[in-house]
Amino acid sequence: GLSVQHTQGDQEDMIRFERSGVNGALRVSGSVLEVDIQLGLMMKPLKPMIEAEVQKGLARAIEKAAGQA
């Protein structure tokens, strides 16, 4: 299954996630959003599809947040 850990800090918030074949982190500080994902050997062929889905998901989340501002 998926393991997720959230750490809230004074300067940045971080979400770390891990599951079989994938681990990474999402860092948010001020107006900066950084996503770092490491793919295991079996997941590497799916990299283009995973990147596209992450970009779409982030774009939707940003649009939604902008509409609430």
Side-chain angles (χ1 to χ4, degrees):
L2 177 64
S3 170
V4 179
Q5 179 185 19
H6 175 248
T7 305
Q8 189 170 354
D10 293 335
Q11 301 297 317
E12 75 175 14
D13 290 348
M14 182 179 301
I15 298 173
R16 294 182 189 275
F17 55 91
E18 185 174 346
R19 64 165 289 168
S20 180
V22 180
N23 66 57
L26 173 67
R27 292 177 195 83
V28 181
S29 62
S31 62
V32 177
L33 174 67
E34 182 181 337
V35 178
D36 180 34
I37 301 172
Q38 263 91 65
L39 300 175
L41 185 61
M42 299 298 286
M43 298 296 281
K44 286 191 188 263
L46 301 174
K47 181 181 176 184
M49 184 180 71
I50 292 169
E51 282 182 340
E53 290 300 316
V54 168
Q55 288 174 354
K56 285 194 301 188
L58 288 174
R60 282 192 300 263
I62 291 168
E63 285 177 17
K64 183 177 179 181
Q68 294 177 358

